[in-house]
Amino acid sequence: MKRYLSAGLKIGERRYPAEHVVVWLGLAALCLPPLALVQGAEKTAMAAPPASQVLWYDQPAGGWEAEALPIGNGRLGAMLFGATEKETVQINEDSLWEGDEKDTGWYQNLGEFEVALPQAKPVTNYRRELDISRALHTATYTSDGVAFRREAFASFPDQVMVFRYTADKPGSHSGTLTLKDGHDAKPVIGPNRLTAAGKLKNGLQYESQILVINDGGTLTATPAGIAFQNVISLTLMVGAGTDYLNQRDKGWRTGEAPHRKVTEQLDKAAKRQYADLLAAHVKDYQALFSRVRLDNGKTDAAIAAQPAAKRLEAYKQANAKDPELENLLFQYGRYLLIGSSRGALPANLQGLWNNSNTPSWRCDYHSNINIQMNYWLAETANLPECAEPLLSYIFSLREVRTEQTSSEFKSKRGWTVQTENNIFGGSSWEWNTPGSAWYCQHLWEHYAFGGDGTYLKTVAYPVMKEVCEFWEDRLKALPDGTLVAPMGFSPEQGPREDGVSFDQELIWDLFTNYIEASQALGVDPEYCQKVTAMRDKLLVPKIGKWGQLQEWMVDRDDPKNEHRHVSHLFAVHPGRQISPTKTPALAAAAKVSLKARGDAGTGWSKAWKISFWARLLEGDHSYKMYSELLKNNIMPNLFDTHPPFQMDGNFGATAGVCEMLLQSQAGELHLLPALPGAWGTGSVMGLRGRGGFEVDMAWAECKLTSVTVRSLTGKVCQVRYGEKTVELKMKPGAVIRLSGDLSTGKK
Ligand code: FUC
């Protein structure tokens, strides 16, 4: 937290002074765990976490994709198998990309290291676990009467990953450590350090290092790696970096090989005690993770005591109830976002965990649903800091996208995107013309939830305005004056033609957000009027011949089309143009379309359907999607599979649960709008609503029993539960508690 206070917040190339974040942090702290708990992180580090916050297994992982477990600090990541004799740990650094402005390239594998610990005796009492309440991976087992324990975590404050090997008998660790670079760079082997440095084909310099610290015994450099003998405890500090910089004017490079920085990070961490590193990590992580808690019911103790893979298998049996596993999947999405989105770059198709140099879909930033879905939870599930890498990324691409857009569309102002995108401004596949409008939704929502006017003015607003200008120049008037986007493309449907609903709805969203932004800032009143006039002339989605929401201006939707993309329902979610309360006829048509597309779907498609049904206020259908996703699209390590593994489904699932419990897109906090019957009694703490609110709720027998609203910004707060609404006038920092019938009483 101190780091934020002294350094302020960085968005794009701008850094906001500490005073802008102090208010936010102070208010956010209201829903942190009691201070004593945070300060006592070191002491409590060994306390057993609740069953709904642990993934555990009774055997080592078999495969990378479905069984290995991820740790990450938002920039560095590792996948752990927990094998006892030969433990392989695969590692990533989020800027290790091939490609450039012309070639989209692929996100790359950094490499792996192996710790060989030959054991004479069979292993008993094996357990590996990922505790997402502390972001700590542990493997324990007994061999030859010796109890071994390994811990691993990825520290954000220290920018290293730490792996610790201990045993209850001194001198029990003898073996070797080797490092294998993902691009065959030959490691330099020192007495206590392995270094693999290389250059990708695009000239990107990278380096990984492992610093070995032994307590007792000996370390010896060998031709293959480092041998350790009779060591009491072994600690590995793993660091990595590249010379990537998210600035085009610097050629996307820092201009400095990563060696110095990585060495410094490891040397600094190595001076600290392991317990201190762990405590600092847990404190930092929990400051984000502990903001939201969910209780959606208790699992039968016998089921909760099972390993995660067995629980998942049991869950697939129609009658097995495991609300704590559902809760685990919800919180896992938050864990994964914290683990993959705290560096300079946003979470990609696999967060940041990738073991291939030619991963599916380049493991890229896909602009037609995937990168957006990755961030649906960031604001609602109270991780707004994790949205910042996305906002910086959007900002960093403006110049190159403006050039590319101008060459493609002969445009003079603004920019947009293609579908596949890398980190150097390179892109490929279909132009996704309303893609930049969708990005702008994220820029706007960061303000809508957090209320930071300086951010809105200096970061979000200029981008939103230039994208409005792009559409101002491009929209085409039909003979009756209706405005349509020319030559649009409903993702993966085609054909290219005018007035595609996906485009129309996104432009409506952009214009509406722009209008609100300009009014909030009190700037550009004339342009705001112009945008309002354009918005009001946009072709709105029509209801077609079988009662469906038309995907195109032409009424040609095929009721048998069960394609996973349901882009014409953007207006329902994450947009706000269609809702059962404000536009009931269109909402009914959206329902007809959604039913026709069917309940099936690949991971992310299924995840989107959780939110669609929640926005249509059908909690049980929304829950059906969530539950089916868990049954059909989630692997034993709880990664979502498309197939293959794609993390958007994890993020989208968490976002969907938020939509079931709290909505705020219509200018009011709508409490429990789609609470499923399956979660009849429960509570949630720390969800965020637009307008700068945090909300805690409790319910019993599917009825709200109490709600606490905290105001971050002092905006008037309209609260809805069912048909009842109340208006609360709240000062910044005020906390109001209401009972289930929304009667007030100040806390
Ligand atoms: C979209 C989807 C694919 C896949 C890819 C990464 O284009 O249609 O199913 O998820 O993104």
Side-chain angles (χ1 to χ4, degrees):
M1 210 175 267
K2 268 195 201 123
R3 184 186 149 269
Y4 284 115
L5 292 180
S6 59
L9 277 181
K10 189 162 177 278
I11 308 267
E13 276 324 294
R14 288 157 210 266
R15 181 168 288 287
Y16 295 102
E19 35 304 3
H20 292 153
V21 286
V22 166
V23 174
W24 185 86
L25 283 172
L27 296 165
L30 288 169
C31 61
L32 293 180
L35 197 60
L37 201 78
V38 173
Q39 286 174 340
E42 189 180 354
K43 273 180 236 136
T44 60
M46 290 308 179
S52 61
Q53 298 194 344
V54 178
L55 292 78
W56 79 270
Y57 305 82
D58 53 9
Q59 51 192 10
W64 184 94
E65 185 182 12
E67 295 186 19
L69 293 170
I71 58 170
N73 71 356
R75 181 180 71 87
L76 300 171
M79 289 286 280
L80 291 98
F81 291 73
T84 55
E85 290 223 15
K86 270 193 184 179
E87 182 178 48
T88 302
V89 178
Q90 186 272 325
I91 53 178
N92 287 108
E93 202 276 356
D94 68 354
S95 64
L96 193 71
W97 267 82
E98 277 290 10
D100 51 36
E101 283 190 13
K102 303 273 173 247
D103 166 15
T104 315
W106 279 274
Y107 177 50
Q108 302 287 294
N109 169 29
L110 179 60
E112 58 186 44
F113 67 87
E114 187 188 88
V115 179
L117 276 166
Q119 269 132 18
K121 293 279 162 36
V123 162
T124 54
N125 295 332
Y126 181 85
R127 178 182 166 110
R128 70 183 166 107
E129 69 169 44
L130 180 62
D131 169 5
I132 64 166
S133 74
R134 290 175 295 170
L136 180 68
H137 183 279
T138 310
T140 50
Y141 60 93
T142 305
S143 173
D144 201 12
V146 181
F148 288 86
R149 179 180 182 86
R150 300 172 185 175
E151 292 182 347
F153 60 91
S155 167
F156 176 77
D158 286 286
Q159 288 298 313
V160 294
M161 297 190 284
V162 185
F163 300 78
R164 167 103 165 156
Y165 298 75
T166 56
D168 67 356
K169 185 176 156 217
S172 297
H173 294 96
S174 296
T176 53
L177 168 73
T178 48
L179 173 63
K180 190 168 176 301
D181 179 65
H183 297 83
D184 295 329
K186 204 172 154 358
V188 174
I189 300 166
N192 66 345
R193 195 186 298 255
L194 299 177
T195 305
K199 215 180 228 191
L200 298 185
K201 289 200 276 297
N202 62 3
L204 188 83
Q205 299 184 72
Y206 68 90
E207 178 162 321
S208 60
Q209 282 191 27
I210 308 180
L211 181 61
V212 188
I213 299 163
N214 60 314
D215 174 17
T218 57
L219 299 182
T220 321
T222 73
I226 292 174
F228 45 93
Q229 200 66 36
N230 302 329
V231 167
I232 299 172
S233 71
L234 193 68
T235 308
L236 310 181
M237 307 281 172
V238 179
T242 74
D243 63 351
Y244 171 75
L245 182 69
N246 58 352
Q247 275 185 42
R248 188 188 198 213
D249 57 359
K250 302 257 167 66
W252 306 104
R253 299 288 188 273
T254 59
E256 190 194 346
H259 178 76
R260 188 187 54 82
K261 194 165 176 189
V262 175
T263 308
E264 265 174 29
Q265 285 166 339
L266 292 196
D267 289 349
K268 202 167 151 225
K271 289 202 183 89
R272 302 182 58 195
Q273 294 295 319
Y274 173 76
D276 290 345
L277 290 169
L278 176 60
H281 158 69
V282 171
K283 182 176 171 181
D284 164 78
Y285 172 77
Q286 289 188 335
L288 297 174
F289 184 77
S290 305
R291 289 174 189 163
V292 172
R293 289 185 199 153
L294 173 66
D295 172 3
N296 58 320
K298 293 271 162 291
T299 296
D300 184 84
I303 297 175
Q306 296 290 312
K310 292 200 178 123
R311 279 171 80 175
L312 192 58
E313 273 313 305
Y315 190 83
K316 292 181 186 195
Q317 313 307 316
N319 293 322
K321 300 249 183 307
D322 194 345
E324 289 182 51
L325 183 65
E326 294 166 348
N327 192 340
L328 183 57
L329 184 71
F330 166 73
Q331 289 288 16
Y332 197 42
R334 298 183 67 247
Y335 169 83
L336 294 169
L337 192 67
I338 298 170
S340 61
S341 190
R342 293 180 82 190
L345 288 164
N348 62 37
L349 281 176
Q350 295 178 183
L352 52 66
W353 295 277
N354 163 42
N355 67 344
S356 164
N357 290 332
T358 50
S360 301
W361 288 292
R362 309 168 187 276
C363 201
D364 75 340
Y365 298 111
H366 243 66
S367 74
N368 66 3
I369 176 68
N370 318 85
I371 188 170
Q372 293 91 342
M373 183 176 284
N374 282 3
Y375 285 90
W376 287 347
L377 72 160
E379 304 292 342
T380 52
N382 216 334
L383 297 172
E385 299 90 336
C386 295
E388 287 166 17
L390 172 68
L391 311 178
S392 306
Y393 172 75
I394 295 169
F395 219 77
S396 74
L397 294 176
R398 288 166 80 192
E399 188 183 307
V400 60
R401 291 284 178 266
T402 304
E403 279 176 18
Q404 291 162 345
T405 304
S406 150
S407 119
E408 173 71 18
F409 296 99
K410 311 292 166 258
S411 56
K412 297 210 165 39
R413 300 187 296 171
W415 54 275
T416 194
V417 294
Q418 286 180 274
T419 303
E420 301 180 322
N421 299 276
N422 72 14
I423 65 172
F424 311 105
S427 61
S428 43
W429 208 60
E430 294 288 347
W431 278 90
N432 178 19
T433 3
S436 56
W438 204 339
Y439 285 2
C440 284
Q441 185 189 45
H442 289 260
L443 290 167
W444 164 250
E445 298 235 303
H446 195 58
Y447 168 78
F449 280 87
D452 180 345
T454 309
Y455 154 78
L456 178 64
K457 188 172 171 195
T458 55
V459 180
Y461 184 80
V463 184
M464 293 167 74
K465 189 173 178 195
E466 70 198 16
V467 178
C468 284
E469 288 167 345
F470 171 75
W471 284 107
E472 182 192 344
D473 296 345
R474 186 167 167 78
L475 283 172
K476 196 167 127 180
L478 297 180
D480 68 355
T482 304
L483 293 176
V484 294
M487 300 307 276
F489 180 78
S490 198
E492 300 193 23
Q493 310 299 313
R496 279 210 174 266
E497 63 184 21
D498 298 350
V500 169
S501 297
F502 173 62
D503 295 28
Q504 299 299 127
E505 294 170 14
L506 269 157
I507 300 164
W508 188 94
D509 193 72
L510 168 75
F511 286 174
T512 303
N513 295 339
Y514 173 80
I515 294 162
E516 290 184 17
S518 121
Q519 287 166 350
L521 293 170
V523 296
D524 293 334
E526 280 167 25
Y527 194 60
C528 180
Q529 261 181 13
K530 191 169 204 177
V531 172
T532 308
M534 289 193 293
R535 196 256 323 253
D536 295 344
K537 281 193 190 146
L538 282 172
L539 174 76
V540 291
K542 292 207 243 165
I543 299 173
K545 55 185 177 234
W546 45 279
Q548 88 283 13
L549 192 79
Q550 286 180 209
E551 188 158 359
W552 300 276
M553 181 163 62
V554 182
D555 187 359
R556 76 152 87 77
D557 301 59
D558 174 1
K560 295 204 178 64
N561 180 359
E562 294 183 343
H563 198 278
R564 58 187 177 275
H565 280 273
V566 203
S567 312
H568 53 312
L569 264 56
F570 170 88
V572 175
H573 177 275
R576 52 180 165 140
Q577 190 178 5
I578 297 180
S579 75
T581 42
K582 299 217 160 137
T583 56
L586 289 171
K591 208 178 275 188
V592 170
S593 290
L594 193 53
K595 280 193 179 144
R597 280 291 216 261
D599 284 346
T602 57
W604 62 257
S605 175
K606 197 89 176 173
W608 200 354
K609 289 172 186 171
I610 302 167
S611 285
F612 283 142
W613 284 111
R615 286 275 176 101
L616 293 168
L617 308 181
E618 299 217 8
D620 286 337
H621 208 138
S622 188
Y623 172 79
K624 179 174 185 273
M625 299 295 92
Y626 186 70
S627 172
E628 286 180 12
L629 177 111
L630 185 47
K631 285 180 181 155
N632 304 327
N633 307 91
I634 295 295
M635 300 187 280
N637 55 5
L638 302 196
F639 273 178
D640 167 79
T641 178
H642 182 56
F645 159 43
Q646 235 175 260
M647 199 159 273
D648 40 22
N650 287 101
F651 295 136
T654 301
V657 171
C658 294
E659 292 295 328
M660 287 188 220
L661 301 176
L662 179 70
Q663 292 179 21
S664 59
Q665 68 282 0
E668 55 188 19
L669 293 177
H670 192 168
L671 311 179
L672 303 181
L675 181 69
W679 295 348
T681 297
S683 64
V684 69
M685 187 197 90
L687 296 184
R688 284 169 97 233
R690 292 166 187 84
F693 301 104
E694 283 180 357
V695 178
D696 305 343
M697 289 173 283
W699 60 91
E701 291 166 16
C702 287
K703 290 209 166 50
L704 182 74
T705 53
S706 72
V707 55
T708 302
V709 180
R710 287 180 289 278
S711 171
L712 307 187
T713 59
K715 288 218 172 102
V716 172
C717 174
Q718 184 84 13
V719 178
R720 169 183 293 274
Y721 177 59
E723 295 304 309
K724 190 161 183 195
T725 59
V726 294
E727 194 178 277
L728 307 174
K729 296 210 166 54
M730 299 180 77
K731 295 208 170 82
V735 181
I736 291 184
R737 192 182 158 92
L738 311 177
S739 53
D741 62 358
L742 300 191
S743 57
T744 53
K746 276 202 178 143
K747 233 186 169 181

